[in-house]
Amino acid sequence: MTDTPIIQGNILLGDTPIEVGSPEWFAWLDDPATKSFSYEKDAFTRFLARKRETKSGSGTWSAHKKVKGEVRVLGLGSTSDLTKEALESIVEEISTPDVDHWERFKATRSKPSLGQGLYKPAKEEKRITQRQDANSDELEKLRAELKSKDEAIAQLQSQLKAVKVERNKLSQEATGLFKANQELGKDARESKALVDAYREQWQAEVNELVEKLEVKDKVITSLQTEKTQLQAQLAEYRTEASAPKPQWQRVGTLTLAQKEMAERLGKATTTLWRNHPRFPEYSQGKDPEVKAWQWDESAKAYYEVIQEGV
């Protein structure tokens, strides 16, 4: 693909520069190899010229320029119409950013004046119009798609904002729960320490009570044993008391003191029994000589006795 020839300052650039409007210029335009050129006044004021071959063998030219997304097309006429003055005028008009001015200028050029071929070819205009319509439809589709994507992005941004708000809320709740858990943990530890202290104190008191109860149980057992013994003695005493009492009479003059009687009978003490009505029988059963003895309270001594009638 060859590079498009460029015209700057009304000079066709190349190995052999050609001035616009010179005989060499028109000869170059009529050359079948010449298909297009770029006419540039400056970086923004320029257009692309294209040649369309006709059945007669001659060519007609049209100018093309894209301004604000719209492709502008203007018929330039035949080779002889591409003068220096015509090109300078066309490049200014087709490059203007004023859309209304361009439309008015294009309207004045839509029909050829007498002796001029500067009009837009019908087929070229139709093709450009169709292309513009297609581009317009495609642009509308792209705009609709862009709008849909913008709406989707806005929705996602709204959802993201809601998620961030919810996340911040959950973060605050988590922080509060963490602090509350720390406080509860602290209270729980303090409560456990207090409960442990009370438990130790209660256990010590319970152990002390158990020991006291064990001592009391022993005392109660001992008292119950003594009670049983006393009840047995009382029953025996009542039995003996209800039985006919033998009559005793003193014999001899021998008397024994309390200690002597205890040693004679082999008992540590006989104090509880010495006033008992059955003491003579009791002492007779313990005495080594089978003698019976009776206590004399006035003399504070024991004396030997025998049953009457024996």
Side-chain angles (χ1 to χ4, degrees), residues 141-160:
K141 291 181 181 179
L142 291 175
R143 286 176 178 173
E145 184 178 354
L146 180 60
K147 182 179 179 181
S148 176
K149 290 183 178 180
D150 288 341
E151 292 176 353
I153 291 173
Q155 185 177 5
L156 289 175
Q157 288 177 342
S158 177
Q159 293 176 356
L160 179 60

Side-chain angles (χ1 to χ4, degrees), residues 256-263 269-271 274 295 300 302:
L256 296 176
Q258 177 65 45
K259 183 178 181 181
E260 293 173 334
M261 178 57 66
E263 291 176 354
T269 178
T270 57
T271 305
R274 65 187 182 185
W295 173 256
K300 303 295 182 184
Y302 292 92

Side-chain angles (χ1 to χ4, degrees), residues 186-204:
K186 180 180 178 182
D187 293 342
R189 288 191 296 271
E190 293 177 353
S191 299
K192 184 178 182 300
L194 185 61
V195 169
D196 291 341
Y198 280 135
R199 182 182 289 113
E200 292 178 359
Q201 181 179 354
W202 294 337
Q203 189 63 44

Side-chain angles (χ1 to χ4, degrees), residues 249-262:
Q249 62 181 4
R250 182 174 181 177
V251 295
T253 59
L254 179 61
T255 60
L256 296 176
Q258 177 65 45
K259 183 178 181 181
E260 293 173 334
M261 178 57 66

Side-chain angles (χ1 to χ4, degrees), residues 76-92:
L76 299 178
S78 62
T79 298
S80 60
D81 294 318
L82 301 185
T83 63
K84 177 181 178 181
E85 293 76 11
L87 295 178
E88 288 178 346
S89 174
I90 294 299
V91 75
E92 292 289 346

Side-chain angles (χ1 to χ4, degrees), residues 254 256 261 264 279-280 283 287 291-294 303-305:
L254 179 61
L256 296 176
M261 178 57 66
R264 183 177 180 86
F279 186 78
S283 61
D287 190 85
K291 291 182 178 182
W293 300 86
Q294 194 170 30
Y303 55 86
E304 183 181 357
V305 294

Side-chain angles (χ1 to χ4, degrees), residues 16-36:
T16 304
I18 299 175
E19 183 179 0
V20 175
S22 65
E24 291 81 3
W25 163 252
F26 293 108
W28 179 79
L29 291 176
D30 284 334
D31 188 344
T34 303
K35 302 294 183 181
S36 63

Side-chain angles (χ1 to χ4, degrees), residues 47-51 60-64 73-77 121 124:
F47 66 84
L48 176 65
R50 292 176 179 173
K51 182 171 66 173
T60 59
W61 292 84
S62 59
H64 301 258
V73 180
L74 186 66
L76 299 178
E124 182 70 11

